[in-house]
Amino acid sequence: MPFNKLQAQIQKTLLNTDEEVTQRLHQVCVLLKETVSYYDWVGFYFANHESKTLHLKTYVGEETNHTVIPFGKGICGQVAVSNSNFVVPDVKAQDNYIACSISVKAEIVIPIIKNGKNIGQIDIDSKTADPFSSEDERFLEWICEKVASIL
Ligand code: SME
């Protein structure tokens, strides 16, 4: 895994105050999708706790209709309420799943926690079956911590 090498680039990207935060997050999506062969769609959703909905801030990959997701709905919506990582090796085995593309086989969603509050998440779809390991989880948790620290 190229995770070690990527960490330095991601850190640099996130700390680049010459760019708006959304632009920095977008660049992280691009870096991840371009570097990790089985990351096919990478996006950041952020929570609106009043309306209990997630809002897609930026992404790379196929266009999606799911720019607003109610808490509790789909993998993303479940993470908004569970505050825990959700690794899905096979999306077909999930009842509460929102399909974005029929070619997606697996998904991983990691919450972004700031000051103890679940403020959003990184969501990654893969066209490869069962591609995610605990290494992906630790790596993406690290990214979410760094994202929280710049918000
Ligand atoms: N599959 C997600 C919806 C978002 S798309 O992956 C971009 C879900 O079930 O929450």
Side-chain angles (χ1 to χ4, degrees):
M1 265 330 96
F3 291 157
N4 287 351
K5 245 181 95 182
L6 256 183
Q7 274 179 318
Q9 282 173 278
I10 287 170
Q11 172 90 307
K12 199 171 154 211
T13 303
L14 287 174
L15 294 178
N16 178 12
T17 49
D18 291 340
E19 302 274 11
E20 298 288 341
V21 167
T22 305
Q23 185 57 24
R24 286 182 246 166
L25 294 176
H26 186 76
Q27 287 166 355
V28 169
C29 293
V30 171
L31 267 173
L32 289 173
K33 185 177 183 294
E34 280 179 355
T35 316
V36 186
S37 60
Y38 53 91
Y39 288 5
D40 294 301
W41 189 98
V42 182
F44 285 98
Y45 284 92
F46 285 93
N48 180 321
H49 289 276
E50 281 72 51
S51 58
K52 297 201 183 315
T53 47
L54 290 165
H55 297 258
L56 184 58
K57 187 129 183 121
T58 188
Y59 71 97
V60 289
E62 269 177 51
E63 201 180 336
T64 177
N65 292 326
H66 306 289
T67 55
V68 181
I69 298 177
F71 283 13
K73 202 161 179 283
I75 307 304
C76 295
Q78 291 178 78
V79 170
V81 292
S82 73
N83 309 324
S84 302
N85 298 351
F86 201 152
V87 183
V88 182
D90 174 10
V91 296
K92 285 206 181 81
Q94 294 293 319
D95 292 333
N96 188 359
Y97 169 71
I98 304 165
C100 281
S101 155
I102 50 157
S103 57
V104 172
K105 293 200 168 123
E107 178 162 6
I108 185 169
V109 179
I110 309 290
I112 300 169
I113 310 291
K114 187 169 176 82
N115 300 330
K117 199 171 179 183
N118 183 348
I119 59 164
Q121 53 192 236
I122 189 167
D123 176 19
I124 299 180
D125 286 343
S126 181
K127 294 177 181 174
T128 303
D130 194 8
F132 304 116
S133 70
S134 56
E135 264 189 90
D136 295 85
E137 279 190 79
R138 300 294 88 78
F139 173 58
L140 297 170
E141 283 167 357
W142 177 85
I143 293 178
C144 288
E145 273 172 37
K146 295 292 159 200
V147 168
S149 74
I150 62 159
L151 297 174

